[in-house]
Amino acid sequence: MNQLTIIIPFILLQACQVAPHTYTPIRIENGGIKIDGSHDEKSWTRAERITTFQNPWENTINPATSLSMMRDSQFLYFYFEVADEEVILDPDFSKEDDVVKEDRVELFFSKDKDMGTYYCFEMDPKGRTLAYAAKHYRKVNFDWDAPQGFNIAARQFSGGYAVEGAIPMAFIQELEKDSAVYFGTYRAEFSKQEGVTVENWLTWVDPKTEKPDFHVPTSMGKLYLK
């Protein structure tokens, strides 16, 4: 076996290992989606589902989580559906950042791979949203508000919950570069053990960090816009 024969498979293996996570939402006609926490519209059956959420830090904890997305000329639509037998909510919820005490799903968007400035939406099973801007690393601006037109609805059901929403395409396109936006999607899955909250963290992309951390560029994939 010559040296070239050895090198080529090695290069192909490396390429597979570093291939980015990508998602391309299908394009639909304007006005076809009602934000109500459900996904009754036929268009949702055509949307690809991300189901490969994982807990890299505790791989025995991996409850079912899915995300589907679509877009029209006005909005990027998303629909999360998660399995959760014990939905944790803050009984004393009074302000936006109380969301961090709860079960939730999350979307992060960034214009560049280094997360120079990125935007976060953390959404609980009641549709309450913590929206903020940040700069790497964890320089957070909680005064930032979700873009005008952002809309969300949630639905709890036996065994889990769903979160549906719409983000204005004008906001997404401000972040677009070469027809793509860097984005990450995550889930905080909490439970109670002897009165103590146990935190588990699920992510679409394994960031390869020693401890759970979504605020790093290695946790991001790419959203391609047709």
Side-chain angles (χ1 to χ4, degrees), residues 12-97:
L12 291 174
L13 176 61
Q14 290 293 98
C16 291
Q17 289 176 338
V18 300
H21 288 66
T22 63
Y23 187 96
T24 304
I26 62 169
R27 186 77 178 257
I28 61 173
E29 295 293 326
N30 287 0
I33 301 298
K34 180 181 179 181
I35 304 302
D36 56 5
S38 184
H39 63 327
D40 296 332
E41 296 89 351
K42 188 175 181 180
S43 296
W44 281 119
T45 64
R46 297 168 45 218
E48 180 184 354
R49 296 168 66 229
I50 295 174
T51 59
T52 51
F53 288 80
Q54 59 181 306
N55 183 336
W57 306 279
E58 182 55 72
N59 57 22
T60 61
I61 301 171
N62 191 25
T65 309
S66 70
L67 168 64
S68 304
M69 288 188 285
M70 302 186 294
R71 62 153 298 192
D72 58 23
S73 66
Q74 297 177 312
F75 294 99
L76 174 69
Y77 302 97
F78 60 87
Y79 180 81
F80 285 94
E81 189 165 282
V82 306
D84 196 339
E85 296 293 339
E86 184 186 12
V87 174
I88 302 298
L89 296 169
D90 182 3
D92 300 316
F93 192 102
S94 61
K95 56 188 185 303
E96 189 178 82
D97 60 5

Side-chain angles (χ1 to χ4, degrees), residues 7-190:
I7 290 174
I8 290 176
F10 176 77
I11 293 173
L12 291 174
L13 176 61
Q14 290 293 98
C16 291
Q17 289 176 338
V18 300
H21 288 66
T22 63
Y23 187 96
T24 304
I26 62 169
R27 186 77 178 257
I28 61 173
E29 295 293 326
N30 287 0
I33 301 298
K34 180 181 179 181
I35 304 302
D36 56 5
S38 184
H39 63 327
D40 296 332
E41 296 89 351
K42 188 175 181 180
S43 296
W44 281 119
T45 64
R46 297 168 45 218
E48 180 184 354
R49 296 168 66 229
I50 295 174
T51 59
T52 51
F53 288 80
Q54 59 181 306
N55 183 336
W57 306 279
E58 182 55 72
N59 57 22
T60 61
I61 301 171
N62 191 25
T65 309
S66 70
L67 168 64
S68 304
M69 288 188 285
M70 302 186 294
R71 62 153 298 192
D72 58 23
S73 66
Q74 297 177 312
F75 294 99
L76 174 69
Y77 302 97
F78 60 87
Y79 180 81
F80 285 94
E81 189 165 282
V82 306
D84 196 339
E85 296 293 339
E86 184 186 12
V87 174
I88 302 298
L89 296 169
D90 182 3
D92 300 316
F93 192 102
S94 61
K95 56 188 185 303
E96 189 178 82
D97 60 5
D98 285 335
V99 167
V100 302
K101 306 173 187 176
E102 305 181 310
D103 281 313
R104 60 192 183 277
V105 289
E106 305 180 4
L107 289 170
F108 288 11
F109 297 92
S110 177
K111 185 172 185 175
D112 62 86
K113 65 179 180 180
D114 298 321
M115 298 175 78
T117 300
Y118 59 103
Y119 302 90
C120 308
F121 303 87
E122 302 191 14
M123 301 160 285
D124 79 1
K126 287 192 171 184
R128 299 176 299 208
T129 302
L130 172 60
Y132 56 93
K135 296 180 181 294
H136 188 66
Y137 174 69
R138 289 184 178 268
K139 298 173 182 176
V140 178
N141 174 16
F142 287 117
D143 291 331
W144 183 81
D145 293 322
Q148 186 174 2
F150 175 80
N151 188 17
I152 185 174
R155 172 176 58 93
Q156 292 180 251
F157 51 85
S158 177
Y161 65 93
V163 176
E164 182 181 32
I167 302 173
M169 280 301 301
F171 167 75
I172 297 296
Q173 288 166 339
E174 287 178 2
L175 306 176
E176 182 183 353
K177 185 177 181 180
D178 298 327
S179 300
V181 176
Y182 288 91
F183 97 106
T185 182
Y186 320 96
R187 175 183 171 188
E189 197 287 311
F190 292 172

Side-chain angles (χ1 to χ4, degrees), residues 207-222:
K208 307 295 184 183
T209 55
E210 183 179 350
K211 297 179 180 180
D213 195 349
F214 300 154
H215 294 259
V216 290
T218 49
S219 77
M220 306 284 274
K222 270 189 174 183

